[in-house]
Each structure stands twice: as structure tokens, then as C-alpha cells.
């Protein structure tokens, strides 16, 4: 089971999958305005996997980091990716949707689904020299996944965000 999960993580973070998205025909169901019509903040727990104190703590951490270092990190949990058929497609479209509004536009977007057992990290190209795809994959597999397996999604997200922030502060 661990091998399958690890293989899925490798596939999710493979640049060839992330950047070779097939263009979908627009219809009412895949219009981002219809799919992503909720309000978004630093932490968006639509799957309800964290309690209010955990959300507040993580939100305050992310706000303080953005204020000091000007990198906005947004976390979204979701139980469904409908009408999208792949998690990377969903995360990419959500990132594009958020990028339209300068107040919402994240430097890094972390999308997690406990129900689907998936995690995807989207980042802008300008920070690749600080946080590569390999760095991101290592952070997720080393810090987030072990806590997710224990059922502590808040701790896993907190540790992963902390490591991402440390990488962004280096330079």
C-alpha cells in the first residue's frame, strides 16, 4: 500500500503531467466561475478535516509569513474535484481561478483531499530556484504524508507549510 501511495505521489509531482494538460472544451460544468464560486482565504477547509483552532493557527502563520516575506501560501481541502477528472487538473484550474484576483493570487497553492487521498502543490515559476519540484515532493513525502497516515491532517499541513516557508526564506 505504501508503494502504491508513493508511486501516486511521484506521478502527481511529475512535471510532464503537470505541464501537459489537455485543453478541455468549455461548457457550463467546467467553467471555473461555476466550480470555484466559494470565497477563498489563506486556509479553506471545505472538507472539514481541521477544527476552528487549527484553521486559525495556520491562517495566522500564513498571514504573518506573507506580511514579512511577500509570499502568499493558500491551503484548500476538498472532498471532490467534480467536474474535473484528475486532481492535477483541478488544482491547476483552481490556481488559475485564484490568480485572476490579485488579493487571492497565491504564490503557492496546496490542495489536499483526505477522501481522495491526494495532495497537489502549485507554485509560480518565479520561485522555482528556491523551491523546486523535487524540494516540494520531498517536503510532502517527509513531513505531510506521515502525519496524514496517522490521520492528523492539520499537523501534516502545518509541518509541510513550515518547511515550504523555510525554503522560501533561505535567499
Amino acid at each position: 500500500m505504501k508503494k502504491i501511495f508513493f508511486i501516486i505521489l511521484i506521478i502527481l509531482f511529475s512535471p510532464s503531467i503537470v505541464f501537459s494538460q489537455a485543453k478541455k472544451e468549455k461548457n457550463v460544468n467546467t467553467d471555473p466561475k461555476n466550480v470555484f464560486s466559494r470565497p477563498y482565504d489563506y486556509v479553506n477547509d471545505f472538507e472539514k478535516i481541521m477544527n476552528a483552532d487549527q484553521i486559525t493557527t495556520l491562517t495566522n502563520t500564513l498571514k504573518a509569513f506573507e506580511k514579512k516575506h511577500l509570499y502568499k501560501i493558500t491551503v484548500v481541502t476538498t472532498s471532490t474535484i467534480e467536474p474535473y477528472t484528475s486532481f492535477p487538473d483541478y488544482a491547476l484550474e483552481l490556481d488559475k481561478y485564484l490568480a485572476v484576483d490579485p488579493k487571492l493570487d497565491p504564490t503557492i497553492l496546496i490542495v489536499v483531499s483526505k477522501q481522495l487521498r491526494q495532495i497537489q502543490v502549485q507554485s509560480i515559476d518565479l520561485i522555482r530556484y528556491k523551491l523546486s519540484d523535487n524540494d516540494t515532493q520531498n517536503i510532502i513525502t517527509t513531513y505531510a504524508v506521515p502525519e496524514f497516515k496517522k490521520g492528523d491532517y492539520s499537523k501534516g499541513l502545518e509541518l509541510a507549510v513550515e518547511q515550504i516557508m523555510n525554503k522560501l526564506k533561505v535567499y
Side-chain angles (χ1 to χ4, degrees):
M1 185 67 164
K2 290 180 182 179
K3 288 181 182 179
I4 292 172
F5 188 73
F6 185 69
I7 290 170
I8 290 171
L9 279 174
I10 290 172
I11 291 170
L12 285 176
F13 292 109
S14 172
S16 63
I17 291 175
V18 174
F19 296 113
S20 63
Q21 304 294 325
K23 189 164 186 163
K24 295 182 180 186
E25 289 186 33
K26 268 204 167 186
N27 63 35
V28 176
N29 293 333
T30 59
D31 183 6
K33 290 178 185 168
N34 293 335
V35 176
F36 307 118
S37 61
R38 306 180 225 192
Y40 288 89
D41 197 10
Y42 291 89
V43 179
N44 308 276
D45 187 18
F46 300 126
E47 196 170 14
K48 308 288 186 224
I49 59 177
M50 295 184 278
N51 65 41
D53 290 338
Q54 293 168 330
I55 292 170
T56 302
T57 300
L58 188 55
T59 298
N60 290 338
T61 300
L62 296 174
K63 279 183 184 179
F65 182 74
E66 181 186 15
K67 188 174 184 177
K68 186 172 183 179
H69 298 283
L70 303 177
Y71 295 117
K72 182 170 184 170
I73 300 173
T74 302
V75 177
V76 177
T77 68
T78 183
S79 58
T80 181
I81 59 168
E82 290 181 6
Y84 298 94
T85 56
S86 79
F87 207 76
D89 285 346
Y90 177 86
L92 183 64
E93 290 301 318
L94 176 57
D95 190 41
K96 288 178 184 177
Y97 174 77
L98 294 174
V100 171
D101 184 348
K103 292 180 183 177
L104 298 176
D105 189 13
T107 307
I108 296 178
L109 172 65
I110 303 170
V111 185
V112 177
S113 176
K114 176 181 178 181
Q115 184 173 333
L116 300 173
R117 299 179 58 139
Q118 302 260 348
I119 184 169
Q120 183 75 28
V121 179
Q122 298 289 130
S123 63
I124 62 172
D125 290 334
L126 296 174
I127 65 165
R128 298 267 181 205
Y129 72 97
K130 291 183 178 186
L131 185 69
S132 69
D133 289 341
N134 288 338
D135 291 334
T136 304
Q137 182 178 350
N138 186 39
I139 289 169
I140 297 303
T141 57
T142 305
Y143 296 94
V145 172
E147 295 300 326
F148 291 174
K149 286 181 179 179
K150 294 177 192 174
D152 195 347
Y153 282 80
S154 177
K155 176 88 172 187
L157 286 169
E158 185 180 309
L159 291 172
V161 164
E162 181 181 304
Q163 292 303 311
I164 289 170
M165 289 187 307
N166 287 339
K167 283 285 190 180
L168 293 176
K169 287 191 262 186
V170 170
Y171 297 100

